[in-house]
Amino acid sequence: MRKSLAVLGATLLAAVASVVVAVPSTSAAPSATGLHISGRDIVEANGQKFIMRGISHEHVWFPSQTSSFANIKAQGANTVRVVLGSGKRWGPSNDVANVVAQCKRNRLICVLEVHDTTGYGQDGAAATLDQAVSYWIGQKNNLVGQENYVVINIGNEPIGNNNPGQWTTATANAVRRMRANGFQHLLMVDAPNWGQDQDHVMRDTAQTVWNADSQHNTVFSVHMYAVYNTAASITSYFDAFKNKGLPLVVGEFGWHFAASEVDDQTLMAQAVARGIGYLGWSWAGNNDARLDMTNNFNPNQLTTWGKRIINGPNGIKATGKEATIYSHR
């Protein structure tokens, strides 16, 4: 299923304590090309800061819904996060070239992710990050040369709640293997604990993964659901990455409508104030109003969640700015 609310509901609620650590600058390596990290920011090849304001699209389960790219763009998004399958559990998605073309046609930055890794170690059907890297290697011909337009999100929520500590080595090895195979793209790595990092493994060991990237061109992605149901839990997590000097985005989040769900209003306000990108889950396909932004992919039927993230304070229409690469083509 697309997104397991049962897993999200089972996640322990915990405020995330900030960690103040002095670390070296995270300026981009000279070899970085296209979208890359400068300091804590994502920047384009021309040095212009790019702040993701985007929406996830469940492409692997709804491959015929290609109109979603244009519809997502029409909401003011500058980024679409596209769900792909490696073939281990879903897919394989062999239409990557067409997906990238759809993103470019609609002037969107394309975050491509392998969803099969979701909850590895807890979900027996999940793929490893190493298997996800093998998928990317198989798609290399469709991705090389697209560094201005494509971010590779190596694997969605790659570790569950069982032994989340394995995330550090697995993620560092995945990043090294991507670079060894010639990928120069901006890489995105999701946190363990189904993306929520409640045990703070990513927060506390992100520097190890950063150091594993020979290009220093990796952005860390936290998914904010039930663990982040207070303002303090959100701000302390953001503060931790600020104090570490490492780049962060909110790669997924949903709608707060009950005390046990994410405080989306604080999340968006803080992201805007701090220049942090966010990608909402998702355009459609969950059959749950907390997660679907539209009814049955219809852009004229926004749900309450869709109205909040798209038209609300600090939402996508108010804060999204198109990537400058599309102004110079």
Side-chain angles (χ1 to χ4, degrees):
M1 175 56 185
R2 336 292 190 245
K3 181 63 53 180
S4 173
L5 287 177
V7 171
L8 298 176
T11 308
L12 298 176
L13 302 180
V16 183
S18 63
V19 176
V20 180
V21 180
V23 296
S25 170
T26 60
S27 57
S31 59
T33 185
L35 290 159
H36 61 279
I37 300 299
S38 177
R40 296 184 58 243
D41 298 325
I42 296 171
V43 300
E44 298 185 65
N46 62 5
Q48 179 67 42
K49 185 175 179 179
F50 179 73
I51 302 173
M52 292 183 182
R53 291 289 179 262
I55 293 171
S56 289
H57 171 48
E58 300 176 3
H59 175 74
V60 69
W61 303 302
F62 303 97
S64 66
Q65 292 288 346
T66 53
S67 62
S68 294
F69 292 90
N71 292 335
I72 287 170
K73 175 64 177 182
Q75 307 307 316
N78 60 23
T79 306
V80 60
R81 181 170 178 258
V82 184
V83 179
L84 303 176
S86 68
K88 172 64 168 65
R89 186 171 188 179
W90 296 293
S93 297
N94 292 320
D95 57 348
V96 170
N98 182 55
V99 167
V100 173
Q102 288 278 358
C103 290
K104 293 169 72 174
R105 186 176 302 123
N106 291 288
R107 304 168 71 94
L108 291 161
I109 295 302
C110 209
V111 176
L112 303 177
E113 60 105 331
V114 163
H115 215 75
D116 307 60
T117 56
T118 306
Y120 177 78
Q122 188 171 351
D123 187 334
T128 65
L129 276 172
D130 193 56
Q131 289 172 316
V133 173
S134 294
Y135 169 79
W136 294 121
I137 293 170
Q139 294 295 327
K140 185 177 176 181
N141 289 342
N142 295 319
L143 297 170
V144 170
Q146 303 298 331
E147 293 86 355
N148 284 315
Y149 307 96
V150 170
V151 178
I152 300 176
N153 189 176
I154 300 176
N156 181 70
E157 301 178 1
I159 310 289
N161 291 331
N162 294 345
N163 187 22
Q166 66 184 300
W167 175 89
T168 309
T169 297
T171 304
N173 287 343
V175 168
R176 289 190 190 99
R177 191 174 168 214
M178 292 290 287
R179 297 304 184 208
N181 279 277
F183 289 93
Q184 298 186 53
H185 303 71
L186 173 61
L187 302 178
M188 183 182 292
V189 293
D190 285 4
N193 297 124
W194 303 86
Q196 295 202 80
D197 204 26
Q198 70 192 38
D199 292 322
H200 308 157
V201 173
M202 185 173 83
R203 187 198 71 181
D204 294 345
T205 66
Q207 189 72 42
T208 299
V209 173
W210 176 264
N211 293 342
D213 185 353
S214 58
Q215 294 191 22
H216 287 172
N217 197 23
T218 297
V219 61
F220 298 90
S221 171
V222 63
H223 293 184
M224 289 188 160
Y225 291 103
V227 168
Y228 300 93
N229 67 332
T230 65
S233 62
I234 293 165
T235 57
S236 63
Y237 199 87
F238 288 171
D239 284 344
F241 272 80
K242 177 182 178 181
N243 293 331
K244 288 175 178 291
L246 293 171
L248 180 72
V249 297
V250 181
E252 281 188 21
F253 69 107
W255 167 39
H256 168 71
F257 76 103
S260 62
E261 295 296 333
V262 63
D263 180 358
D264 64 299
Q265 297 301 287
T266 293
L267 187 161
M268 289 192 289
Q270 284 291 312
V272 170
R274 297 165 183 256
I276 293 173
Y278 64 67
L279 304 168
W281 184 276
S282 69
W283 185 238
N286 303 280
N287 296 317
D288 189 303
R290 290 170 291 184
L291 299 173
D292 283 336
M293 298 177 196
T294 65
N295 291 313
N296 197 31
F297 296 93
N298 187 339
N300 297 314
Q301 294 184 14
L302 294 181
T303 64
T304 299
W305 167 222
K307 292 174 183 176
R308 289 167 76 95
I309 189 173
I310 293 167
N311 297 320
N314 302 299
I316 288 171
K317 280 191 176 176
T319 66
K321 294 183 179 180
E322 184 177 86
T324 62
I325 187 67
Y326 291 115
S327 302
H328 304 294
R329 292 199 299 168

